[in-house]
PDB file of all heavy atoms in Angstrom:
ATOM      1  N   HIS A 507     -13.957 -16.949 -35.546  1.00 98.00           N
ATOM      2  CA  HIS A 507     -13.702 -17.838 -36.688  1.00 98.00           C
ATOM      3  C   HIS A 507     -12.213 -18.181 -36.783  1.00 98.00           C
ATOM      4  O   HIS A 507     -11.858 -19.307 -37.140  1.00 98.00           O
ATOM      5  CB  HIS A 507     -14.177 -17.184 -37.989  1.00 98.00           C
ATOM      6  CG  HIS A 507     -15.645 -17.331 -38.231  1.00 98.00           C
ATOM      7  ND1 HIS A 507     -16.286 -18.557 -38.244  1.00 98.00           N
ATOM      8  CD2 HIS A 507     -16.614 -16.405 -38.478  1.00 98.00           C
ATOM      9  CE1 HIS A 507     -17.576 -18.385 -38.492  1.00 98.00           C
ATOM     10  NE2 HIS A 507     -17.812 -17.095 -38.634  1.00 98.00           N
ATOM     11  N   GLN A 508     -11.357 -17.225 -36.448  1.00 97.00           N
ATOM     12  CA  GLN A 508      -9.916 -17.502 -36.482  1.00 97.00           C
ATOM     13  C   GLN A 508      -9.538 -18.620 -35.519  1.00 97.00           C
ATOM     14  O   GLN A 508      -8.590 -19.366 -35.760  1.00 97.00           O
ATOM     15  CB  GLN A 508      -9.126 -16.240 -36.122  1.00 97.00           C
ATOM     16  CG  GLN A 508      -8.710 -15.407 -37.313  1.00 97.00           C
ATOM     17  CD  GLN A 508      -7.606 -14.433 -36.986  1.00 97.00           C
ATOM     18  OE1 GLN A 508      -7.474 -13.977 -35.846  1.00 97.00           O
ATOM     19  NE2 GLN A 508      -6.792 -14.092 -37.974  1.00 97.00           N
ATOM     20  N   GLU A 509     -10.289 -18.712 -34.430  1.00 96.00           N
ATOM     21  CA  GLU A 509     -10.012 -19.725 -33.410  1.00 96.00           C
ATOM     22  C   GLU A 509     -10.816 -21.006 -33.641  1.00 96.00           C
ATOM     23  O   GLU A 509     -10.679 -21.971 -32.888  1.00 96.00           O
ATOM     24  CB  GLU A 509     -10.341 -19.151 -32.026  1.00 96.00           C
ATOM     25  CG  GLU A 509      -9.457 -17.969 -31.631  1.00 96.00           C
ATOM     26  CD  GLU A 509     -10.040 -17.157 -30.491  1.00 96.00           C
ATOM     27  OE1 GLU A 509     -11.130 -17.543 -30.001  1.00 96.00           O
ATOM     28  OE2 GLU A 509      -9.430 -16.142 -30.097  1.00 96.00           O
ATOM     29  N   GLY A 510     -11.669 -21.006 -34.670  1.00 96.00           N
ATOM     30  CA  GLY A 510     -12.564 -22.137 -34.916  1.00 96.00           C
ATOM     31  C   GLY A 510     -11.851 -23.374 -35.423  1.00 96.00           C
ATOM     32  O   GLY A 510     -10.732 -23.310 -35.943  1.00 96.00           O
ATOM     33  N   THR A 511     -12.537 -24.507 -35.280  1.00 95.00           N
ATOM     34  CA  THR A 511     -11.946 -25.797 -35.689  1.00 95.00           C
ATOM     35  C   THR A 511     -12.807 -26.541 -36.711  1.00 95.00           C
ATOM     36  O   THR A 511     -12.417 -27.607 -37.193  1.00 95.00           O
ATOM     37  CB  THR A 511     -11.756 -26.692 -34.456  1.00 95.00           C
ATOM     38  OG1 THR A 511     -13.020 -26.860 -33.802  1.00 95.00           O
ATOM     39  CG2 THR A 511     -10.743 -26.078 -33.495  1.00 95.00           C
ATOM     40  N   GLU A 512     -13.992 -25.988 -37.025  1.00 97.00           N
ATOM     41  CA  GLU A 512     -14.891 -26.655 -37.972  1.00 97.00           C
ATOM     42  C   GLU A 512     -14.278 -26.663 -39.377  1.00 97.00           C
ATOM     43  O   GLU A 512     -13.542 -25.743 -39.760  1.00 97.00           O
ATOM     44  CB  GLU A 512     -16.247 -25.957 -38.019  1.00 97.00           C
ATOM     45  CG  GLU A 512     -16.998 -25.950 -36.699  1.00 97.00           C
ATOM     46  CD  GLU A 512     -17.665 -27.292 -36.418  1.00 97.00           C
ATOM     47  OE1 GLU A 512     -17.695 -28.146 -37.330  1.00 97.00           O
ATOM     48  OE2 GLU A 512     -18.163 -27.475 -35.297  1.00 97.00           O
ATOM     49  N   VAL A 513     -14.605 -27.706 -40.136  1.00 97.00           N
ATOM     50  CA  VAL A 513     -14.148 -27.804 -41.523  1.00 97.00           C
ATOM     51  C   VAL A 513     -15.334 -27.519 -42.439  1.00 97.00           C
ATOM     52  O   VAL A 513     -16.380 -28.154 -42.338  1.00 97.00           O
ATOM     53  CB  VAL A 513     -13.567 -29.202 -41.830  1.00 97.00           C
ATOM     54  CG1 VAL A 513     -13.162 -29.288 -43.295  1.00 97.00           C
ATOM     55  CG2 VAL A 513     -12.372 -29.478 -40.920  1.00 97.00           C
ATOM     56  N   ILE A 514     -15.168 -26.533 -43.322  1.00 97.00           N
ATOM     57  CA  ILE A 514     -16.234 -26.112 -44.238  1.00 97.00           C
ATOM     58  C   ILE A 514     -15.914 -26.641 -45.631  1.00 97.00           C
ATOM     59  O   ILE A 514     -14.755 -26.633 -46.064  1.00 97.00           O
ATOM     60  CB  ILE A 514     -16.360 -24.578 -44.278  1.00 97.00           C
ATOM     61  CG1 ILE A 514     -16.433 -23.999 -42.862  1.00 97.00           C
ATOM     62  CG2 ILE A 514     -17.577 -24.146 -45.099  1.00 97.00           C
ATOM     63  CD1 ILE A 514     -17.597 -24.500 -42.035  1.00 97.00           C
ATOM     64  N   SER A 515     -16.926 -27.096 -46.333  1.00 97.00           N
ATOM     65  CA  SER A 515     -16.707 -27.653 -47.671  1.00 97.00           C
ATOM     66  C   SER A 515     -16.259 -26.570 -48.647  1.00 97.00           C
ATOM     67  O   SER A 515     -16.633 -25.394 -48.513  1.00 97.00           O
ATOM     68  CB  SER A 515     -17.990 -28.298 -48.194  1.00 97.00           C
ATOM     69  OG  SER A 515     -18.976 -27.319 -48.463  1.00 97.00           O
ATOM     70  N   ASP A 516     -15.482 -26.983 -49.639  1.00 97.00           N
ATOM     71  CA  ASP A 516     -15.036 -26.049 -50.673  1.00 97.00           C
ATOM     72  C   ASP A 516     -16.235 -25.462 -51.425  1.00 97.00           C
ATOM     73  O   ASP A 516     -16.197 -24.300 -51.854  1.00 97.00           O
ATOM     74  CB  ASP A 516     -14.106 -26.756 -51.665  1.00 97.00           C
ATOM     75  CG  ASP A 516     -12.774 -27.140 -51.023  1.00 97.00           C
ATOM     76  OD1 ASP A 516     -12.452 -26.568 -49.957  1.00 97.00           O
ATOM     77  OD2 ASP A 516     -12.067 -27.997 -51.580  1.00 97.00           O
ATOM     78  N   GLU A 517     -17.288 -26.279 -51.569  1.00 98.00           N
ATOM     79  CA  GLU A 517     -18.489 -25.821 -52.284  1.00 98.00           C
ATOM     80  C   GLU A 517     -19.144 -24.652 -51.551  1.00 98.00           C
ATOM     81  O   GLU A 517     -19.607 -23.688 -52.185  1.00 98.00           O
ATOM     82  CB  GLU A 517     -19.491 -26.968 -52.437  1.00 98.00           C
ATOM     83  CG  GLU A 517     -19.080 -28.074 -53.400  1.00 98.00           C
ATOM     84  CD  GLU A 517     -18.044 -29.020 -52.815  1.00 98.00           C
ATOM     85  OE1 GLU A 517     -17.844 -29.000 -51.565  1.00 98.00           O
ATOM     86  OE2 GLU A 517     -17.423 -29.783 -53.597  1.00 98.00           O
ATOM     87  N   LYS A 518     -19.191 -24.741 -50.217  1.00 97.00           N
ATOM     88  CA  LYS A 518     -19.806 -23.680 -49.425  1.00 97.00           C
ATOM     89  C   LYS A 518     -18.995 -22.392 -49.517  1.00 97.00           C
ATOM     90  O   LYS A 518     -19.566 -21.301 -49.664  1.00 97.00           O
ATOM     91  CB  LYS A 518     -19.914 -24.119 -47.956  1.00 97.00           C
ATOM     92  CG  LYS A 518     -20.694 -23.162 -47.065  1.00 97.00           C
ATOM     93  CD  LYS A 518     -22.143 -23.055 -47.493  1.00 97.00           C
ATOM     94  CE  LYS A 518     -22.942 -22.152 -46.590  1.00 97.00           C
ATOM     95  NZ  LYS A 518     -24.327 -21.969 -47.059  1.00 97.00           N
ATOM     96  N   ILE A 519     -17.681 -22.504 -49.432  1.00 98.00           N
ATOM     97  CA  ILE A 519     -16.808 -21.328 -49.563  1.00 98.00           C
ATOM     98  C   ILE A 519     -16.983 -20.696 -50.940  1.00 98.00           C
ATOM     99  O   ILE A 519     -17.114 -19.468 -51.063  1.00 98.00           O
ATOM    100  CB  ILE A 519     -15.332 -21.709 -49.340  1.00 98.00           C
ATOM    101  CG1 ILE A 519     -15.104 -22.233 -47.913  1.00 98.00           C
ATOM    102  CG2 ILE A 519     -14.418 -20.520 -49.636  1.00 98.00           C
ATOM    103  CD1 ILE A 519     -15.357 -21.215 -46.821  1.00 98.00           C
ATOM    104  N   LYS A 520     -17.032 -21.545 -51.970  1.00 98.00           N
ATOM    105  CA  LYS A 520     -17.202 -21.048 -53.347  1.00 98.00           C
ATOM    106  C   LYS A 520     -18.549 -20.352 -53.506  1.00 98.00           C
ATOM    107  O   LYS A 520     -18.667 -19.317 -54.195  1.00 98.00           O
ATOM    108  CB  LYS A 520     -17.097 -22.221 -54.327  1.00 98.00           C
ATOM    109  CG  LYS A 520     -17.231 -21.843 -55.794  1.00 98.00           C
ATOM    110  CD  LYS A 520     -16.014 -21.090 -56.295  1.00 98.00           C
ATOM    111  CE  LYS A 520     -15.942 -21.057 -57.816  1.00 98.00           C
ATOM    112  NZ  LYS A 520     -17.117 -20.510 -58.484  1.00 98.00           N
ATOM    113  N   GLU A 521     -19.556 -20.868 -52.856  1.00 98.00           N
ATOM    114  CA  GLU A 521     -20.898 -20.268 -52.924  1.00 98.00           C
ATOM    115  C   GLU A 521     -20.872 -18.844 -52.354  1.00 98.00           C
ATOM    116  O   GLU A 521     -21.433 -17.918 -52.955  1.00 98.00           O
ATOM    117  CB  GLU A 521     -21.895 -21.129 -52.143  1.00 98.00           C
ATOM    118  CG  GLU A 521     -23.324 -20.601 -52.176  1.00 98.00           C
ATOM    119  CD  GLU A 521     -24.249 -21.425 -51.291  1.00 98.00           C
ATOM    120  OE1 GLU A 521     -23.938 -22.610 -51.020  1.00 98.00           O
ATOM    121  OE2 GLU A 521     -25.275 -20.869 -50.851  1.00 98.00           O
ATOM    122  N   TYR A 522     -20.214 -18.696 -51.214  1.00 98.00           N
ATOM    123  CA  TYR A 522     -20.097 -17.366 -50.610  1.00 98.00           C
ATOM    124  C   TYR A 522     -19.264 -16.433 -51.496  1.00 98.00           C
ATOM    125  O   TYR A 522     -19.591 -15.248 -51.664  1.00 98.00           O
ATOM    126  CB  TYR A 522     -19.456 -17.449 -49.224  1.00 98.00           C
ATOM    127  CG  TYR A 522     -20.440 -17.755 -48.125  1.00 98.00           C
ATOM    128  CD1 TYR A 522     -20.224 -18.816 -47.233  1.00 98.00           C
ATOM    129  CD2 TYR A 522     -21.579 -16.975 -47.936  1.00 98.00           C
ATOM    130  CE1 TYR A 522     -21.123 -19.086 -46.206  1.00 98.00           C
ATOM    131  CE2 TYR A 522     -22.481 -17.245 -46.915  1.00 98.00           C
ATOM    132  CZ  TYR A 522     -22.248 -18.295 -46.053  1.00 98.00           C
ATOM    133  OH  TYR A 522     -23.137 -18.561 -45.041  1.00 98.00           O
ATOM    134  N   GLU A 523     -18.177 -16.941 -52.048  1.00 98.00           N
ATOM    135  CA  GLU A 523     -17.325 -16.126 -52.925  1.00 98.00           C
ATOM    136  C   GLU A 523     -18.099 -15.617 -54.131  1.00 98.00           C
ATOM    137  O   GLU A 523     -18.001 -14.431 -54.499  1.00 98.00           O
ATOM    138  CB  GLU A 523     -16.111 -16.947 -53.399  1.00 98.00           C
ATOM    139  CG  GLU A 523     -15.044 -17.128 -52.346  1.00 98.00           C
ATOM    140  CD  GLU A 523     -13.866 -17.938 -52.854  1.00 98.00           C
ATOM    141  OE1 GLU A 523     -14.063 -18.801 -53.730  1.00 98.00           O
ATOM    142  OE2 GLU A 523     -12.739 -17.707 -52.370  1.00 98.00           O
ATOM    143  N   ASP A 524     -18.883 -16.492 -54.732  1.00 98.00           N
ATOM    144  CA  ASP A 524     -19.652 -16.118 -55.924  1.00 98.00           C
ATOM    145  C   ASP A 524     -20.735 -15.085 -55.589  1.00 98.00           C
ATOM    146  O   ASP A 524     -20.953 -14.133 -56.352  1.00 98.00           O
ATOM    147  CB  ASP A 524     -20.303 -17.351 -56.561  1.00 98.00           C
ATOM    148  CG  ASP A 524     -19.276 -18.274 -57.211  1.00 98.00           C
ATOM    149  OD1 ASP A 524     -18.122 -17.836 -57.401  1.00 98.00           O
ATOM    150  OD2 ASP A 524     -19.624 -19.434 -57.510  1.00 98.00           O
ATOM    151  N   LYS A 525     -21.399 -15.277 -54.438  1.00 98.00           N
ATOM    152  CA  LYS A 525     -22.437 -14.329 -54.024  1.00 98.00           C
ATOM    153  C   LYS A 525     -21.838 -12.951 -53.753  1.00 98.00           C
ATOM    154  O   LYS A 525     -22.398 -11.919 -54.143  1.00 98.00           O
ATOM    155  CB  LYS A 525     -23.155 -14.840 -52.770  1.00 98.00           C
ATOM    156  CG  LYS A 525     -24.170 -15.936 -53.030  1.00 98.00           C
ATOM    157  CD  LYS A 525     -24.650 -16.579 -51.743  1.00 98.00           C
ATOM    158  CE  LYS A 525     -25.431 -15.620 -50.864  1.00 98.00           C
ATOM    159  NZ  LYS A 525     -25.931 -16.290 -49.632  1.00 98.00           N
ATOM    160  N   PHE A 526     -20.695 -12.921 -53.081  1.00 98.00           N
ATOM    161  CA  PHE A 526     -20.041 -11.657 -52.759  1.00 98.00           C
ATOM    162  C   PHE A 526     -19.608 -10.937 -54.026  1.00 98.00           C
ATOM    163  O   PHE A 526     -19.850  -9.721 -54.190  1.00 98.00           O
ATOM    164  CB  PHE A 526     -18.833 -11.914 -51.851  1.00 98.00           C
ATOM    165  CG  PHE A 526     -18.166 -10.664 -51.353  1.00 98.00           C
ATOM    166  CD1 PHE A 526     -18.682  -9.949 -50.283  1.00 98.00           C
ATOM    167  CD2 PHE A 526     -16.992 -10.197 -51.948  1.00 98.00           C
ATOM    168  CE1 PHE A 526     -18.063  -8.798 -49.811  1.00 98.00           C
ATOM    169  CE2 PHE A 526     -16.369  -9.048 -51.485  1.00 98.00           C
ATOM    170  CZ  PHE A 526     -16.907  -8.348 -50.413  1.00 98.00           C
ATOM    171  N   LEU A 527     -19.001 -11.669 -54.955  1.00 98.00           N
ATOM    172  CA  LEU A 527     -18.545 -11.072 -56.212  1.00 98.00           C
ATOM    173  C   LEU A 527     -19.728 -10.522 -57.008  1.00 98.00           C
ATOM    174  O   LEU A 527     -19.650  -9.439 -57.587  1.00 98.00           O
ATOM    175  CB  LEU A 527     -17.777 -12.105 -57.044  1.00 98.00           C
ATOM    176  CG  LEU A 527     -17.162 -11.601 -58.364  1.00 98.00           C
ATOM    177  CD1 LEU A 527     -16.148 -10.497 -58.097  1.00 98.00           C
ATOM    178  CD2 LEU A 527     -16.523 -12.742 -59.134  1.00 98.00           C
ATOM    179  N   ALA A 528     -20.827 -11.266 -57.023  1.00 98.00           N
ATOM    180  CA  ALA A 528     -22.010 -10.823 -57.766  1.00 98.00           C
ATOM    181  C   ALA A 528     -22.566  -9.519 -57.207  1.00 98.00           C
ATOM    182  O   ALA A 528     -22.981  -8.633 -57.964  1.00 98.00           O
ATOM    183  CB  ALA A 528     -23.086 -11.907 -57.737  1.00 98.00           C
ATOM    184  N   THR A 529     -22.541  -9.373 -55.887  1.00 98.00           N
ATOM    185  CA  THR A 529     -23.103  -8.153 -55.286  1.00 98.00           C
ATOM    186  C   THR A 529     -22.198  -6.947 -55.500  1.00 98.00           C
ATOM    187  O   THR A 529     -22.684  -5.866 -55.853  1.00 98.00           O
ATOM    188  CB  THR A 529     -23.367  -8.333 -53.776  1.00 98.00           C
ATOM    189  OG1 THR A 529     -22.157  -8.715 -53.122  1.00 98.00           O
ATOM    190  CG2 THR A 529     -24.436  -9.369 -53.523  1.00 98.00           C
ATOM    191  N   ILE A 530     -20.894  -7.103 -55.307  1.00 98.00           N
ATOM    192  CA  ILE A 530     -20.015  -5.944 -55.486  1.00 98.00           C
ATOM    193  C   ILE A 530     -19.926  -5.546 -56.952  1.00 98.00           C
ATOM    194  O   ILE A 530     -19.740  -4.361 -57.269  1.00 98.00           O
ATOM    195  CB  ILE A 530     -18.601  -6.183 -54.904  1.00 98.00           C
ATOM    196  CG1 ILE A 530     -17.889  -7.340 -55.599  1.00 98.00           C
ATOM    197  CG2 ILE A 530     -18.672  -6.389 -53.396  1.00 98.00           C
ATOM    198  CD1 ILE A 530     -16.432  -7.525 -55.177  1.00 98.00           C
ATOM    199  N   ASN A 531     -20.070  -6.515 -57.860  1.00 98.00           N
ATOM    200  CA  ASN A 531     -20.024  -6.214 -59.294  1.00 98.00           C
ATOM    201  C   ASN A 531     -21.335  -5.645 -59.804  1.00 98.00           C
ATOM    202  O   ASN A 531     -21.417  -5.198 -60.949  1.00 98.00           O
ATOM    203  CB  ASN A 531     -19.651  -7.458 -60.097  1.00 98.00           C
ATOM    204  CG  ASN A 531     -18.160  -7.764 -60.028  1.00 98.00           C
ATOM    205  OD1 ASN A 531     -17.426  -7.117 -59.279  1.00 98.00           O
ATOM    206  ND2 ASN A 531     -17.707  -8.725 -60.810  1.00 98.00           N
ATOM    207  N   ASP A 532     -22.363  -5.659 -58.975  1.00 98.00           N
ATOM    208  CA  ASP A 532     -23.644  -5.061 -59.338  1.00 98.00           C
ATOM    209  C   ASP A 532     -23.664  -3.613 -58.846  1.00 98.00           C
ATOM    210  O   ASP A 532     -24.303  -3.270 -57.861  1.00 98.00           O
ATOM    211  CB  ASP A 532     -24.797  -5.853 -58.720  1.00 98.00           C
ATOM    212  CG  ASP A 532     -26.160  -5.289 -59.100  1.00 98.00           C
ATOM    213  OD1 ASP A 532     -26.237  -4.489 -60.057  1.00 98.00           O
ATOM    214  OD2 ASP A 532     -27.146  -5.635 -58.435  1.00 98.00           O
ATOM    215  N   ASP A 533     -22.890  -2.770 -59.521  1.00 98.00           N
ATOM    216  CA  ASP A 533     -22.829  -1.339 -59.220  1.00 98.00           C
ATOM    217  C   ASP A 533     -22.483  -1.073 -57.759  1.00 98.00           C
ATOM    218  O   ASP A 533     -23.103  -0.249 -57.091  1.00 98.00           O
ATOM    219  CB  ASP A 533     -24.161  -0.661 -59.591  1.00 98.00           C
ATOM    220  CG  ASP A 533     -24.037   0.856 -59.693  1.00 98.00           C
ATOM    221  OD1 ASP A 533     -22.937   1.339 -59.995  1.00 98.00           O
ATOM    222  OD2 ASP A 533     -25.051   1.539 -59.458  1.00 98.00           O
ATOM    223  N   LEU A 534     -21.488  -1.819 -57.246  1.00 98.00           N
ATOM    224  CA  LEU A 534     -20.975  -1.631 -55.889  1.00 98.00           C
ATOM    225  C   LEU A 534     -22.078  -1.722 -54.840  1.00 98.00           C
ATOM    226  O   LEU A 534     -22.261  -0.820 -54.005  1.00 98.00           O
ATOM    227  CB  LEU A 534     -20.268  -0.273 -55.755  1.00 98.00           C
ATOM    228  CG  LEU A 534     -19.286   0.151 -56.850  1.00 98.00           C
ATOM    229  CD1 LEU A 534     -18.669   1.508 -56.513  1.00 98.00           C
ATOM    230  CD2 LEU A 534     -18.195  -0.883 -57.043  1.00 98.00           C
ATOM    231  N   ASN A 535     -22.799  -2.819 -54.845  1.00 98.00           N
ATOM    232  CA  ASN A 535     -23.913  -2.987 -53.891  1.00 98.00           C
ATOM    233  C   ASN A 535     -23.365  -3.407 -52.525  1.00 98.00           C
ATOM    234  O   ASN A 535     -23.437  -4.568 -52.129  1.00 98.00           O
ATOM    235  CB  ASN A 535     -24.907  -4.024 -54.411  1.00 98.00           C
ATOM    236  CG  ASN A 535     -26.190  -4.048 -53.599  1.00 98.00           C
ATOM    237  OD1 ASN A 535     -26.257  -3.501 -52.505  1.00 98.00           O
ATOM    238  ND2 ASN A 535     -27.208  -4.692 -54.141  1.00 98.00           N
ATOM    239  N   MET A 536     -22.854  -2.445 -51.794  1.00 98.00           N
ATOM    240  CA  MET A 536     -22.204  -2.737 -50.522  1.00 98.00           C
ATOM    241  C   MET A 536     -23.174  -3.163 -49.413  1.00 98.00           C
ATOM    242  O   MET A 536     -22.807  -3.992 -48.567  1.00 98.00           O
ATOM    243  CB  MET A 536     -21.361  -1.550 -50.069  1.00 98.00           C
ATOM    244  CG  MET A 536     -20.190  -1.244 -51.003  1.00 98.00           C
ATOM    245  SD  MET A 536     -19.151  -2.683 -51.327  1.00 98.00           S
ATOM    246  CE  MET A 536     -18.404  -2.920 -49.723  1.00 98.00           C
TER     247      MET A 536
END
């Protein structure tokens, strides 16, 4: 991914951020 050239939408990044935050905030669901 560090070497990647694709452009990802801000909406997609935000979707992943929200999902990750929801899981870790749910009693540390690692």
Side-chain angles (χ1 to χ4, degrees):
H507 278 305
Q508 267 198 332
E509 296 163 1
T511 57
E512 299 282 350
V513 177
I514 310 300
S515 69
D516 292 342
E517 290 77 15
K518 187 64 178 176
I519 297 296
K520 181 71 163 56
E521 181 185 336
Y522 275 127
E523 284 180 330
D524 290 346
K525 283 169 65 178
F526 185 80
L527 183 61
T529 57
I530 62 173
N531 283 7
D532 181 16
D533 197 28
L534 314 181
N535 191 345
M536 296 307 291

